[in-house]
Amino acid sequence: MKLFSWYFKSNLLMRILVGLILGAVCGIIFGPKIAWVNPFGEIFIRLLKMIVLPVIVFTLTVGAASVHPSQLGRVGVKALMTYMITTALAVTLGLVFGNLFQPGAGMKIAATATQVATADVAPPSLVDTIINIVPKNPYGAIAEGHILPVIFFFLIFGIGLAHVRNSENEQIRESGETLFRFFNGSAEVIYLVVQWILQYAPIGVFALIAVVFGKQGAEAFGPLGMTTLAVYLAFATHMAGVYGGLLSFFKINPIAFFSKAKEAIVTAFVTRSSGGTLPVSMDIADTEMGISKGVYSFSLPLGATINMDGTAIYQGVCAIFVGFAIGTPLNLSQQLTIIATAVLASIGTAGVPGAGAIMLMMVLDSVGLKVEAGSPVAMAYAMIFGIDALLDMGRTACNVTGDMAVTCIVAKTEQEMDESYWGKYKKTVVAEGGALAKA
Ligand code: ASP
């Protein structure tokens, strides 16, 4: 075991990066002969797929059941709607940037395999996608791995559980609490398992990337750089344009907002976890933004669970990338379907590192791009997964910015924001207030 201790002791992100670079180098050196490493990549894809459903089921139920039914009043609906609308805008922006930059164009990963794949996969229409969100049989949806109906069912189940946990009847309340603990404990276990799977990621990424570069040669670097550029430019545009615009519309100074929120944004960037950033964003909402506890204590955790604008942007760009990479760019109906799925995926994405990349599989799935081991889609997916840490930093920063911006807007429109925190003389006013309060 000692032999491998260096492996587990070294930094995971570093290892994934090394796996990516080594994979690319070996692929370029050995060419198509490197294909024998494919099973190592196949195992990795299977591990990721294995964990998608449990992540959704437990995270979503805990998230929905944590919201007190009384909070689902006006403030709740306002926050929810704003979160959904900004996420829909985010994925649209991702698609626009994807179409503009066309990352992956001209790659044609395994063109022959693609022709077979596209011939028998007819992407579902938008209307069908929406109808199919309601499961006829939730257990069937789980067994067949249809993610959207599963999200739909467990969202409702979680809200039901929230009611049961807060029932007037003590016995019912207790049984609800027991069930909640079960889901909460299971969610913790699943997060741990995700961490374990990630320990295997460097090897999986190495194998998958080696196969891609074995077929493509060094040209595969260009599309990855283009994807990163498109994703980051879309993040910047969303943060400045959508949040900046909305904040100004509601008469909140965007410059003041970003200068107050910067600590949370940087924390999100380095931790790659919206959930992990919560203590920082809550502290800022309280001490720097003058938002009432009643609003931020509900809106920020809700945002960290269901609002993932950065993730939605990333999914939009990456879906376009995969389409181009396999030589069948997404058509309009597929892109519209992606908007619907990415919004739902955002609800089902846990605020932990790497969750968005796992959910990307279901977004691709919704337009007929199945990540099956050895398929061109899996290869294109693996390329993006190789640089996931880099993309995850930006998307988490964008996710957290969105949580805070929406919280400010809800607080402002509900008159739950202390304006003195935002004035030019904020520091003096607060200081004087403090001095007066003490006197
Ligand atoms: N890491 C992101 C977050 O915590 C989720 C994702 O992977 O997209 O917000």
Side-chain angles (χ1 to χ4, degrees), residues 107-186:
M107 276 181 67
K108 293 209 179 61
I109 296 183
T112 41
T114 311
Q115 274 149 19
V116 181
T118 46
D120 49 3
V121 174
S125 75
L126 180 63
V127 177
D128 282 345
T129 307
I130 293 173
I131 292 176
N132 289 336
I133 289 173
V134 184
K136 277 192 273 186
N137 169 1
Y139 302 106
I142 294 177
E144 283 160 30
H146 294 150
I147 309 272
L148 292 185
V150 173
I151 292 183
F152 183 84
F153 177 77
F154 279 96
L155 197 57
I156 295 178
F157 182 84
I159 296 172
L161 182 55
H163 278 85
V164 171
R165 284 180 76 200
N166 293 288
S167 162
E168 309 255 288
N169 180 320
E170 201 189 323
Q171 218 180 340
I172 295 181
R173 203 167 54 230
E174 266 174 23
S175 51
E177 208 47 52
T178 310
L179 193 57
F180 180 77
R181 282 205 206 100
F182 164 78
F183 275 93
N184 205 13
S186 305

Side-chain angles (χ1 to χ4, degrees), residues 268 271-277 304 307-308 310-312 314-315 349-358 388 391-393 395-397 399-400 403:
T271 61
R272 302 188 296 129
S273 166
S274 305
T277 309
N307 182 52
M308 310 271 166
T311 308
Y314 149 88
Q315 286 166 343
T349 306
V352 297
I358 298 178
D388 189 56
L391 303 178
D392 196 7
M393 291 199 252
R395 62 180 192 249
T396 311
N399 290 345
V400 168
D403 301 341

Side-chain angles (χ1 to χ4, degrees), residues 93-109 216 219-234 313-330 335 360 364 369 380-381 383-384 387 391:
L93 201 69
L95 291 170
V96 168
F97 273 76
N99 284 303
L100 279 179
F101 284 79
Q102 307 204 337
M107 276 181 67
K108 293 209 179 61
I109 296 183
Q216 289 278 311
E219 295 140 38
F221 275 121
L224 282 183
M226 195 59 113
T227 309
T228 310
L229 183 71
V231 166
Y232 269 86
L233 281 178
I313 288 176
Y314 149 88
Q315 286 166 343
V317 176
C318 290
I320 297 279
F321 164 79
V322 173
F324 274 114
I326 65 165
T328 44
L330 301 186
Q335 297 197 24
L360 175 61
L364 293 174
L369 300 173
Y381 175 81
M383 292 180 67
I384 302 169
I387 53 164
L391 303 178

Side-chain angles (χ1 to χ4, degrees), residues 40-55:
F40 293 99
E42 190 167 335
I43 290 176
F44 181 51
I45 299 271
R46 277 176 167 260
L47 285 170
L48 290 176
K49 287 184 130 180
M50 173 185 90
I51 209 71
V52 175
L53 269 177
V55 167

Side-chain angles (χ1 to χ4, degrees), residues 280-291:
V280 183
S281 41
M282 286 185 138
D283 182 55
I284 292 174
D286 191 314
T287 59
E288 302 250 341
M289 294 178 164
I291 295 173

